[in-house]
Amino acid sequence: MNQWHDTSLPIKERAAALLADLTLEEKAHQLGSHWPSPKNRVDDLEGNVAPMEDALNQSGDLNAEAAVGLGQITRNYGTAPVTPEEGIAQLRDLQAFVVERSPHGIPAVVHEECLTGFTANGATVYPAAIAWGATFDPGIVEEMAHAIGDDMATLGVHQGLSPLLDVVRDYRWGRVEETIGEDPYLVGTLGAAYVQGLQEAGIDATLKHFAGYSASRAGRNHAPISIGPREFEDVILQPFEIAVREGGAASVMNSYSDIDGVPAGASRELLTGILRDRWGFDGLVVSDYWAVSFLHMMHRISEGPADSARLALEAGLDVELPGTACYGSVVDLVRDGRLDESVVDTSVQRVLEQKIRLGLLDPDWSSEAQGAPVDLDSPRNREIARRLAEESIVLVANDGVLPLAVAKVALLGPCAAEPRTFMGCYSFPNHVLVRYPDAPLGVEVPSLEQALRAELGGAEIRYEQGCPILAEDRSQIPAAVEAAKAADVAVLTVGDLAGLFGKGTSGEGCDAVDLRLPGVQAELVEAVLATGTPTVLVIVSGRPYSVGAFADRCAAIVQAFMPGEEGGPAIAGVLSGRVNPSGHLPVGLPDHPGGQPGTYLAPSLAWNSDGISNLDPRPRYPFGHGISYTTFDLSDLRLSSEEIDVTGSVEVRATVTNTGDRAGAEVVQLYATDELAQVVRPLKELIGYLKVSLEPGESRTVIFDVHSDRLSFTGLELKRVVEPGTHVLSVGRSSEDRPLSARLTLTGETRIVPEGRQLLTPARLG
């Protein structure tokens, strides 16, 4: 038996033995990938897959890319509407071809997208990541990810390109829907939960986009990043560090963007210095699609494909995706002396370690065993999707009109009858099936109209679209107005339809000029509100939209962040009262459409500046906000000590009580404010949270264990420090509703915090 087949040996030893036996050509092919028939798809897709067809067209054929082996197979299931059986058959053929061509019989890793569920035909479409943030519930995110991983593993997939850990910095960015929110701790903890769930099912999670992508100028996709080192360290990097250190992520994907002129895909400081040397990451770094080619095509820092390959490999980027456009030059680079073979060996070692860990080099592995029929939208999946959707709905405002208890309802707006509005841009229906207009969605997705009719039973419901989501067509507004006038309550749905590169109002490449509702939807809202009929505004969107012009005149506002295939029943359940809403905003809802786009993590001069500027950047509804059909009281804040050393810890206790008449859940949030620091600090930042379910009249004590590391920041000398001084710890229901506060004094000398600091604030019930 070859050493690399001996499962009793350590993974690194097996990989090193195989590496030593590979030729340079074999090594190089382990760093590449193949996307089945991407060239043909470009011809068919009218530019919908990617904005730069020149890059996509560089992908080679299988004979060349897998001549003596292959690193990865790209999106076998996620590119066209194949059935699971068809995908299984194709994958078996591909793997057999790869193994036969490889002198050492090395199979390829198979990767797929899985941000809103397995991006495959007929697979469950879960809520978008921004909806995970609204749950404030790591447990259900982990459960969802495990279910996604189970389905992928059954079909022979090994790696998932998720979760996205970019922190929202500009609400206009099209990919806000793919983020978990605007707070790095929320993003990091929910992202780590996703990683753990997916990897428990045997699928390698891939953190993306490392790093800074969401901080692009003006919220434009792929735009440069102008960001200071403290913001980069304390906001942008924090979720990735949590997911690496606490979540154990197996893979990382680079960002397309350049940071102060250095593209992430060519940054050794980022991909090696921070990720590996500082954080101890020992997994695989893969490129975002065509990111290596972009080094010469977009960033213009290399002479061509070979030079781009050299820069990326020397930075620490191990595998090129989705095809082998640049890494096909590796052999020539080494033989010409432009690239040291040891650099190649380092990346190939990591590739082989991944393959061994995934079982691809075990003696009993066979391409015939890869994939088995499975129900990709099983009752278990749908039940998880339902619960997650219900937990994610945010009741923003309510004057008592909800729950609905009326005879006549006018259901209005473009999101009421179009179920695709519930799904993110990386859901299979919005990502792939839009190119196949005659194909069914593949999963059952009740519209809100269907769900509300079923939910309200005998109520009289009249539906009028009012206007399209994006087109400037006002012809249907009068019918919506008449329906509203004749009803007891108007339920008005507005928002987004996700797409790619300008084909939608939200999603990759669908960036916004400002935060007005798309198209003429704002005119529809104004027309309905002018009728005087009590109006429930239901926003189904991937980004927050300005609500200041409407808020005071709406009877209620409900925010649904792309709640997935069970979104219709979930929203209808909230409207009827069957579901007691427990979601909280992972992003603020802006007051006006411009003048921001700051998030709640703001210092004094970025907040209300007391007349210094005529623009008030404060949101109408802040990060963390959400109300319920019951009421909650927070009381009895206690610190285990009012004074700790700069190396110490404190226990923070508070009591939460359900003071209403029905069961519900409240998100208890812990914030910290640094009263005096050597650099400018945010007015408040979330350092802990816990979602607590309570029966009427029930009280529970929430306990946060706060280590002094959780009060650290990047100081004047660009080192992480904990300073002596006073912090205000506050407990509340949102970033702006913090009724309990206490002062904590740190004593001693300023402490430089070493790598491996305490990243989490454990929270529990007492």
Side-chain angles (χ1 to χ4, degrees), residues 555-587:
I557 299 176
V558 174
Q559 174 68 58
F561 289 109
M562 293 184 173
E565 66 181 29
E566 287 288 334
I571 297 170
V574 167
L575 295 176
S576 73
R578 173 178 56 82
V579 175
N580 193 0
S582 63
H584 285 246
L585 293 174
V587 287

Side-chain angles (χ1 to χ4, degrees), residues 20-86:
D21 208 52
L22 297 181
T23 66
L24 176 59
E25 288 78 5
E26 288 179 273
K27 293 175 187 176
H29 276 75
Q30 290 302 310
L31 306 181
S33 58
H34 174 74
W35 194 347
S37 303
K39 176 61 170 65
N40 294 335
R41 291 194 176 106
V42 171
D43 295 337
D44 294 338
L45 303 189
E46 299 180 355
N48 281 341
V49 167
M52 296 187 64
E53 293 186 13
D54 288 344
L56 197 152
N57 282 333
Q58 291 181 33
S59 297
D61 62 33
L62 182 60
N63 287 299
E65 291 180 329
V68 288
L70 185 67
Q72 297 214 5
I73 293 171
T74 295
R75 293 177 65 175
N76 178 72
Y77 297 95
T79 305
V82 298
T83 66
E85 290 75 16
E86 290 169 337

Side-chain angles (χ1 to χ4, degrees), residues 115-116 125-132 134 174-179 385 388-389 392-393 415 419-427 430 469 494-499 504-508 510 539-543 545 559-568 570-571:
L115 188 63
T116 66
V125 180
Y126 295 93
I130 192 69
W132 313 348
R175 304 190 80 165
V176 166
E177 64 168 67
E178 299 178 52
T179 74
L388 202 158
S392 73
I393 307 298
C415 295
R420 285 177 52 222
T421 63
F422 300 146
M423 298 181 282
C425 127
Y426 269 79
S427 66
N430 285 341
I469 288 174
V494 295
D496 283 322
L497 178 59
T505 60
S506 174
E508 186 172 0
C510 296
I539 308 169
V540 182
S541 66
R543 67 163 59 83
Y545 284 106
Q559 174 68 58
F561 289 109
M562 293 184 173
E565 66 181 29
E566 287 288 334
I571 297 170

Side-chain angles (χ1 to χ4, degrees), residues 219-266:
R220 291 182 61 251
N221 194 37
H222 289 211
I225 309 300
S226 300
I227 192 171
R230 293 179 186 84
E231 181 182 351
F232 191 71
E233 181 75 33
D234 294 347
V235 177
I236 300 298
L237 292 183
Q238 184 184 154
F240 291 96
E241 185 174 5
I242 291 173
V244 167
R245 292 190 189 273
E246 304 293 337
S251 182
V252 170
M253 174 183 280
N254 75 287
S255 162
Y256 285 128
S257 299
D258 70 89
I259 303 147
D260 195 24
V262 180

Side-chain angles (χ1 to χ4, degrees), residues 341-668:
E341 189 169 356
S342 65
V343 175
V344 177
D345 288 349
T346 297
S347 286
V348 176
Q349 172 80 17
R350 294 169 187 150
V351 170
L352 297 178
E353 287 178 11
Q354 181 195 34
K355 292 187 174 185
I356 290 169
R357 179 173 45 75
L358 291 168
L360 296 180
L361 288 175
D362 289 353
D364 59 352
W365 186 92
S366 168
S367 63
E368 292 300 314
Q370 296 305 291
V374 62
D375 180 0
L376 294 178
D377 193 30
S378 65
R380 175 197 69 162
N381 290 5
R382 294 198 70 102
E383 192 270 337
I384 296 171
R386 175 191 60 77
R387 287 191 286 115
L388 202 158
E390 291 176 353
E391 279 200 50
S392 73
I393 307 298
V394 183
L395 181 59
V396 177
N398 183 23
D399 70 0
V401 70
L402 295 179
L404 291 174
V406 295
K408 294 182 179 181
V409 177
L411 179 60
L412 312 171
C415 295
E418 174 52 87
R420 285 177 52 222
T421 63
F422 300 146
M423 298 181 282
C425 127
Y426 269 79
S427 66
F428 195 82
N430 285 341
H431 200 74
V432 176
L433 289 181
V434 290
R435 306 191 305 266
Y436 302 86
D438 297 329
L441 287 181
V443 291
E444 181 184 350
V445 188
S447 69
L448 179 56
E449 180 188 6
Q450 293 169 322
L452 197 61
R453 290 187 189 280
E455 189 78 33
L456 297 184
E460 178 184 330
I461 299 176
R462 176 182 170 184
Y463 168 67
E464 295 289 347
Q465 184 187 44
C467 68
I469 288 174
L470 186 56
E472 294 195 7
D473 179 359
R474 300 169 176 83
S475 62
Q476 301 176 71
I477 292 179
V481 167
E482 289 306 311
K485 288 178 178 178
D488 300 317
V489 168
V491 175
L492 176 54
T493 66
V494 295
D496 283 322
L497 178 59
L500 287 168
F501 308 114
K503 302 296 184 181
T505 60
S506 174
E508 186 172 0
C510 296
D511 309 314
V513 172
D514 58 33
L515 300 173
R516 292 176 175 87
L517 288 167
V520 297
Q521 293 183 72
E523 294 179 35
L524 174 63
V525 176
E526 289 288 358
V528 172
L529 289 173
T531 66
T533 300
T535 299
V536 178
L537 184 66
V538 178
I539 308 169
V540 182
S541 66
R543 67 163 59 83
Y545 284 106
S546 167
V547 296
F550 317 129
D552 292 337
R553 292 174 289 153
C554 291
I557 299 176
V558 174
Q559 174 68 58
F561 289 109
M562 293 184 173
E565 66 181 29
E566 287 288 334
I571 297 170
V574 167
L575 295 176
S576 73
R578 173 178 56 82
V579 175
N580 193 0
S582 63
H584 285 246
L585 293 174
V587 287
L589 296 188
D591 191 29
H592 50 94
Q596 26 311 310
T599 67
Y600 95 95
L601 279 176
S604 295
L605 290 181
W607 206 239
N608 187 35
S609 48
D610 207 15
I612 294 173
S613 169
N614 63 314
L615 298 179
D616 185 346
R618 292 176 297 180
R620 184 56 185 258
Y621 298 101
F623 170 84
H625 171 76
I627 60 176
S628 170
Y629 292 143
T630 188
T631 54
F632 299 95
D633 180 64
L634 295 169
S635 62
D636 197 21
L637 177 64
R638 288 170 289 160
L639 307 185
S640 59
S641 175
E642 295 180 356
E643 184 177 291
I644 61 171
D645 184 75
V646 291
T647 62
S649 300
V650 64
E651 187 180 88
V652 181
R653 291 174 172 254
T655 300
V656 55
T657 303
N658 183 343
T659 56
D661 58 3
R662 64 177 293 179
E666 177 66 296
V667 178
V668 180

Side-chain angles (χ1 to χ4, degrees), residues 30-33 71-74 109-113 159-162 204-211 250-256 264-266 271 275-276 281 283-292 312-313 316-323 327 347 350-351 354:
Q30 290 302 310
L31 306 181
S33 58
Q72 297 214 5
I73 293 171
T74 295
V109 165
V110 180
H111 76 258
E112 297 282 351
E113 297 283 0
Q159 182 168 339
L161 304 187
S162 191
D204 280 2
T206 306
L207 311 181
K208 59 186 190 182
H209 305 88
F210 191 65
S251 182
V252 170
M253 174 183 280
N254 75 287
S255 162
Y256 285 128
L271 302 183
L275 184 61
R276 297 189 186 279
F281 176 74
L284 198 71
V285 175
V286 300
S287 79
D288 204 342
Y289 286 11
W290 308 289
V292 181
L313 280 165
L317 203 161
D318 302 312
V319 175
E320 181 184 11
L321 302 180
Y327 281 16
S347 286
R350 294 169 187 150
V351 170
Q354 181 195 34

